[in-house]
Amino acid sequence: EAGVVQSPRYKIIEKKQPVAFWCNPISGHNTLYWYLQNLGQGPELLIRYENEEAVDDSQLPKDRFSAERLKGVDSTLKIQPAELGDSAVYLCASSLDSLPYNEQFFGPGTRLTVL
Amino acid sequence: GQQVMQIPQYQHVQEGEDFTTYCNSSTTLSNIQWYKQRPGGHPVFLIQLVKSGEVKKQKRLTFQFGEAKKNSSLHITATQTTDVGTYFCAAFANDYKLSFGAGTTVTVRA
């Protein structure tokens, strides 16, 4: 069974430029998460989807970040414009559903560097 | 902010020795999960604890959930180089959001 797929793996951009990350969750997983991981820290949730609905986006900086999961399968996270402080690893994860007792499966992440 | 606090932040271990890392919360937790992230890798689920006082073992790893469900520990015996990485505890409180600790980064001296 294929795991969570993310692309690109690495991205280097200049500040004020836009950037987009793509995630394809494990087949059959209804819940999809985007996390931000800074160096030396644990992942922090940005947004959670149940199928195509964003059910928790309280931590998403909506002035510059946006996300979509149009068909309830793959998802895109966008930053426009990027700032220096956005440099981090962006992790996508999925689970069968959002019940607290389900494990989350993480993708390899996209390492973003903003210059 | 982080709901769970992990100590120590770094653990330098001689190969073959044992060590323990701790995860603490000020609130009662419904359950706790542990993940491992290898250097340059992504978090991988290790185990979940649900019951008060629960103890689970995976080979050389022993996981424990406190009686009050406010703390957890991970004990590794006879540390090997394959144990290198960062161990995160993560917990749900009253919502569906999983909050991760800052992790304990383990390095091993051969």
Side-chain angles (χ1 to χ4, degrees), chain B residues 31 37 49 54:
Chain B
N31 60 329
Q37 186 172 22
L49 304 170
E54 187 171 16

Side-chain angles (χ1 to χ4, degrees), chain A residues 30-72:
Chain A
N30 295 323
T31 306
L32 183 147
Y33 313 80
W34 282 103
Y35 287 91
L36 167 73
Q37 187 175 26
N38 287 305
L39 189 65
Q41 297 294 317
E44 297 178 36
L45 182 69
L46 290 172
I47 189 168
R48 172 170 64 93
Y49 281 94
E50 293 293 339
N51 298 303
E52 66 276 9
E53 182 181 358
V55 294
D56 184 356
D57 63 355
S58 57
Q59 302 301 312
L60 190 72
K62 298 181 184 63
D63 57 335
R64 298 184 301 107
F65 287 64
S66 65
E68 59 183 17
R69 193 186 184 198
L70 293 176
K71 296 183 179 179

Side-chain angles (χ1 to χ4, degrees), chain B residues 39-72:
Chain B
H42 57 276
V44 175
F45 176 84
L46 292 177
I47 210 157
Q48 175 167 252
L49 304 170
V50 178
K51 299 177 182 177
S52 169
E54 187 171 16
V55 177
K56 289 187 176 180
K57 293 187 177 183
Q58 288 182 349
K59 297 182 180 179
R60 296 177 295 102
L61 278 61
T62 301
F63 302 83
Q64 187 165 2
F65 204 5
E67 293 289 342
K69 300 183 73 173
K70 290 185 176 182
N71 55 73
S72 181

